[in-house]
Amino acid sequence: MSQITTHILDTAIGKPAADVLVELTQKTADGSWQTLAEGKTNADGRVADLLSNETVLPTGIYKMTFYTEGYFEKQNRVSFYPVVDIQFSIFDASHYHIPLLLSPFGYSTYRGS
């Protein structure tokens, strides 16, 4: 399993959010962001292979960017958040699950398992 996993649940309709572009970036020493991986959510709202199973990321600050505007546009729904950025810290080699609970006018996240 990838060290970093994610999924998106559209809480307004109670279903996974499919076909959402997700980007993983790492904060560099100069404060810029370096893209490490990207993928699209599948029918279950998950990105199956964001990183290879062998990849172990160093400690540091990372960001998952969820490009949600297109998802809502395809459903003819208005959304207040065209992009959702979630910054988080990696402090060891364990698994990090970054879920996104999404609705057109709000979102939440937590460290999952």
Side-chain angles (χ1 to χ4, degrees):
M1 172 188 324
S2 173
Q3 183 186 14
I4 305 289
T5 57
T6 188
H7 77 273
I8 308 172
L9 178 63
D10 184 335
T11 58
I13 61 173
K15 294 182 180 179
D19 203 32
V20 176
L21 178 62
V22 178
E23 181 181 41
L24 174 65
T25 54
Q26 179 181 21
K27 193 171 191 177
T28 64
D30 68 3
S32 63
W33 294 95
Q34 177 185 0
T35 300
L36 301 178
E38 63 178 35
K40 283 198 172 187
T41 56
N42 61 21
D44 194 34
R46 299 176 186 276
V47 179
D49 55 355
L50 192 59
L51 296 172
S52 72
N53 293 347
E54 297 79 31
T55 300
V56 177
L57 298 173
T59 60
I61 298 174
Y62 293 81
K63 178 171 59 174
M64 296 282 288
T65 300
F66 300 86
Y67 294 92
T68 57
E69 184 174 43
Y71 167 76
F72 286 113
E73 284 177 349
K74 287 178 187 173
Q75 299 175 20
N76 294 317
R77 295 194 294 169
V78 176
S79 172
F80 189 65
Y81 300 102
V83 175
V84 175
D85 285 328
I86 301 172
Q87 292 188 35
F88 59 97
S89 296
I90 289 183
F91 42 84
D92 59 26
S94 66
H95 174 244
Y96 291 82
H97 184 61
I98 316 296
L100 176 63
L101 304 176
L102 179 65
S103 73
F105 298 98
Y107 65 88
S108 65
T109 187
Y110 56 94
R111 181 174 178 187
S113 59

